[in-house]
Amino acid sequence: MESRVLTWMLLCVLLRPLAAQNPAPEGVLNCCEGDVLFLLDSSGSVSSYEHSRMLTFLSELLLPFSLGEDQVRIGLLQVGTQPRLEFGFGTYSTQSGLQGALKNTKPLRGDTNTVEALRIAKESVLRPAASDVARAGLPRVLVWLTDGVKPGDVIEPMAELREEGVAVLVVSTGHGNYQVLRQVVSPPIENNLYFVDIDDLSIITEDLRDAIIEIIRAERMNVRDVSTNSATLNWRPVLSGLNGYYEIRFGPVLTGGGGDGGAGGSGTSPSTGGGHHQRITKSADSSTARVTGLKPDTTYTATLTPESNDQAFNMLSVTFTTKPEVLSPAVVTLSESGPTSVRVSWGPSQPDQITSYYIEYSALPRGKLHAFTVGRTQNSTLLRDLQPDTTYLVTVSARHTSGTEKAMSVKVCTPEVTPALADLQLTTVSSDSVQVDWKSSAGGLRGYWLTWEGQQNSITGQRSSFYLPPDSLSTRLTHLPPATRVCVSPIYRTVRGEGLCCTAQFQSDALAYGYQS
């Protein structure tokens, strides 16, 4: 689903006044840096109870964040006939101040003038300028809390905000205007659009908080695609649109070096105990870098320093461990299996570390051993001239440039040959009897399965099946009903082969049936 429709039926709802809560901590999430503006619908379509519930929800949502100039800043813009900015980004730098302001916020009433509120948000709050509005170079987020009633023509002004780099999230306590709301949120829609009943707002608190954190997690450098000898670093492109570059240094964390395994709020680098570091630079519009030449199963620290004469930025750092070395072959697979051939594949491909592969195979338990060599760039081969219905042991050995050799074995069972029946003939002997003859030259037969069935629906129960030994090539069926269909199939060790069917046409009133061979 593109949105989250969350409707819970509750027998009772426990409401605790904000004043009864424990004193607000001064923030525990020292992870983020950005400006978040909440657009709160407090028009006449929103009751006093609903307005109170929205404010309680905001209080719980924002409680864990660390606030301040180098952290998260919060603004609140209410929607009514005359929208009003209750407080801007620079107003509160403590949780106690913010929580008190939320508690004392009163609804505006009147019309839902969301379009005018968005104009104020764009021109006076979210556009970087003075100290009380959004900061340049940091993430900006607009969270719209609405009852979904008559939102107005918001698609275009929301699109303009997104084009200027503002991330838009929406929480609707009604279930109308879905098509409008899904067009205004920033992707991914499933993370940024929420439908929830007014009394159930608390169930989306954590999900919405995580969505906001994902956008404003500025003081963090992420690592992905870690392999035995490389890794990819990702960061928010804070230098985008500025003059400058990124300096990246990375090196192993030595034993006793004191590496702490991640980037702290201060943005300083963990100690590497004086280990050798490599240095690379990336352009100002970059947000990713691939570091290579790493050693397997080794812990590294990487630091990212945005260098610009236009603005100062904190240094970011991250610690990661490369994967243990995996010597090929680590996996051997089988495909294209037939009675006389099978394809053997192996991996991972390591042409720079391997000189050649040595393939051995033999039939179990004491078949002749076959062996051959393939090049270091090859990762599969087709084994031919195998015996049907036979189990083979296949071994793939890799000869590494380091002098080591690693082997892996698998068993493969070739399927037996199961030819179809060669020929089937019916010869009428009497008015209710037929001679059945067939041909089959395949070896390994375990017998034949013969079935006959009357084709008229007026008499039920006219069907019979029975087994015939492998040396049988004919049988006689007697006391058959008119229009009888006869089928013969060869039986092999593992499967019934493809058979043939013919229909015998004659007149008979007999109900008894049988066969002679």
Side-chain angles (χ1 to χ4, degrees):
M1 295 180 60
E2 294 182 322
S3 65
R4 302 178 182 182
V5 181
L6 304 172
T7 305
W8 284 12
M9 300 299 296
L10 302 180
L11 296 179
C12 62
V13 178
L14 179 61
L15 301 179
R16 294 190 297 174
L18 185 63
Q21 296 178 355
N22 294 327
E26 292 304 322
V28 295
L29 287 178
N30 191 28
C31 65
C32 308
E33 189 176 17
D35 297 321
V36 184
L37 176 65
F38 288 88
L39 190 66
L40 178 63
D41 188 355
S42 65
S43 62
S45 64
V46 178
S47 68
S48 297
Y49 171 77
E50 292 172 331
H51 186 258
S52 175
R53 292 295 297 155
M54 287 184 180
L55 290 174
T56 301
F57 169 66
L58 287 183
S59 174
E60 296 173 352
L61 176 72
L62 299 174
L63 191 61
F65 285 101
S66 296
L67 306 180
E69 186 61 29
D70 295 326
Q71 304 285 347
V72 178
R73 301 194 308 175
I74 304 297
L76 178 63
L77 175 61
Q78 290 210 95
V79 179
T81 302
Q82 297 292 329
R84 183 171 68 202
L85 181 65
E86 296 293 339
F87 51 85
F89 291 133
T91 306
Y92 299 106
S93 59
T94 66
Q95 277 289 343
S96 57
L98 175 63
Q99 296 294 331
L102 291 173
K103 178 183 177 182
N104 295 324
T105 299
K106 307 300 181 184
L108 298 182
R109 305 301 179 204
D111 297 330
T112 309
N113 195 354
T114 310
V115 174
E116 174 61 14
L118 290 175
R119 185 194 65 79
I120 296 173
K122 176 184 177 183
E123 297 180 2
S124 304
V125 186
L126 292 171
R127 180 169 293 168
S131 61
D132 204 37
V133 296
R135 293 165 289 182
L138 292 180
R140 293 167 293 159
V141 182
L142 175 68
V143 182
W144 180 22
L145 279 75
T146 175
D147 63 356
V149 178
K150 298 180 180 179
D153 188 11
V154 298
I155 294 179
E156 182 175 348
M158 286 290 197
E160 292 175 355
L161 284 173
R162 295 197 308 272
E163 289 174 359
E164 291 187 7
V166 178
V168 178
L169 291 76
V170 176
V171 176
S172 176
T173 58
H175 301 294
N177 292 300
Y178 169 74
Q179 293 300 328
V180 173
L181 299 182
R182 72 180 296 273
Q183 291 183 64
V184 304
V185 299
S186 301
I189 295 176
E190 62 271 17
N191 290 347
N192 295 338
L193 176 60
Y194 301 82
F195 285 90
V196 60
D197 289 345
I198 190 67
D199 288 325
D200 299 329
L201 280 167
S202 61
I203 67 178
I204 68 166
T205 301
E206 185 174 348
D207 287 342
L208 179 59
R209 185 186 297 132
D210 288 344
I212 295 173
I213 290 174
E214 186 64 24
I215 298 169
I216 64 175
R217 194 192 302 272
E219 292 288 3
R220 186 166 309 267
M221 180 166 51
N222 298 317
V223 183
R224 62 177 177 84
D225 299 335
V226 179
S227 68
T228 58
N229 58 6
S230 63
T232 299
L233 307 177
N234 292 90
W235 60 89
R236 191 179 300 279
V238 295
L239 293 180
S240 180
L242 302 176
N243 294 321
Y245 62 93
Y246 297 99
E247 181 185 68
I248 301 167
R249 291 181 178 271
F250 60 96
V253 177
L254 302 182
T255 304
D260 59 10
S266 64
T268 59
S269 169
S271 170
T272 59
H276 174 69
H277 273 62
Q278 298 182 59
R279 176 183 178 273
I280 59 176
T281 60
K282 301 291 289 187
S283 62
D285 58 352
S286 301
S287 61
T288 182
R290 186 73 175 168
V291 293
T292 59
L294 309 181
K295 296 180 180 180
D297 199 20
T298 303
T299 300
Y300 284 84
T301 183
T303 62
L304 174 77
T305 305
E307 300 285 359
S308 174
N309 293 328
D310 301 326
Q311 190 174 343
F313 295 93
N314 289 332
M315 179 175 65
L316 309 182
S317 64
V318 68
T319 300
F320 61 94
T321 302
T322 53
K323 293 182 178 180
E325 186 174 17
V326 177
L327 296 179
S328 184
V331 60
V332 177
T333 59
L334 305 171
S335 61
E336 303 175 25
S337 180
T340 61
S341 64
V342 64
R343 179 166 293 279
V344 181
S345 304
W346 55 87
S349 179
Q350 298 174 332
D352 295 336
Q353 305 177 35
I354 291 172
T355 59
S356 63
Y357 291 98
Y358 188 64
I359 316 300
E360 300 173 286
Y361 64 99
S362 62
L364 296 177
R366 291 179 295 274
K368 179 182 177 181
L369 180 64
H370 303 267
F372 58 93
T373 301
V374 298
R376 59 188 177 90
T377 60
Q378 194 167 330
N379 65 352
S380 71
T381 188
L382 185 65
L383 305 183
R384 296 181 174 88
D385 301 325
L386 305 181
Q387 293 298 314
D389 195 19
T390 303
T391 300
Y392 285 85
L393 180 66
V394 181
T395 301
V396 179
S397 302
R399 296 165 176 168
H400 290 257
T401 54
S402 61
T404 61
E405 186 169 313
K406 182 181 178 182
M408 177 170 283
S409 299
V410 294
K411 286 183 180 181
V412 55
C413 298
T414 55
E416 63 178 326
V417 177
T418 57
L421 199 69
D423 185 40
L424 177 65
Q425 294 183 357
L426 302 184
T427 303
T428 302
V429 177
S430 65
S431 60
D432 63 356
S433 301
V434 65
Q435 178 73 22
V436 185
D437 297 281
W438 61 88
K439 295 180 181 179
S440 179
S441 58
L445 274 171
R446 301 300 177 93
Y448 298 93
W449 190 254
L450 188 148
T451 300
W452 65 261
E453 182 177 12
Q455 298 298 293
Q456 292 183 353
N457 296 327
S458 59
I459 304 176
T460 60
Q462 294 183 303
R463 178 184 175 89
S464 180
S465 298
F466 49 88
Y467 167 80
L468 292 170
D471 57 352
S472 300
L473 292 177
S474 66
T475 190
R476 180 171 295 187
L477 304 178
T478 61
H479 306 297
L480 301 177
T484 299
R485 184 172 177 81
V486 180
C487 298
V488 178
S489 300
I491 300 174
Y492 298 97
R493 184 181 66 84
T494 58
V495 70
R496 183 187 300 181
E498 183 179 350
L500 294 174
C501 297
C502 292
T503 300
Q505 298 285 350
F506 41 73
Q507 298 296 325
S508 175
D509 295 329
L511 297 181
Y513 54 84
Y515 74 94
Q516 293 180 345
S517 59

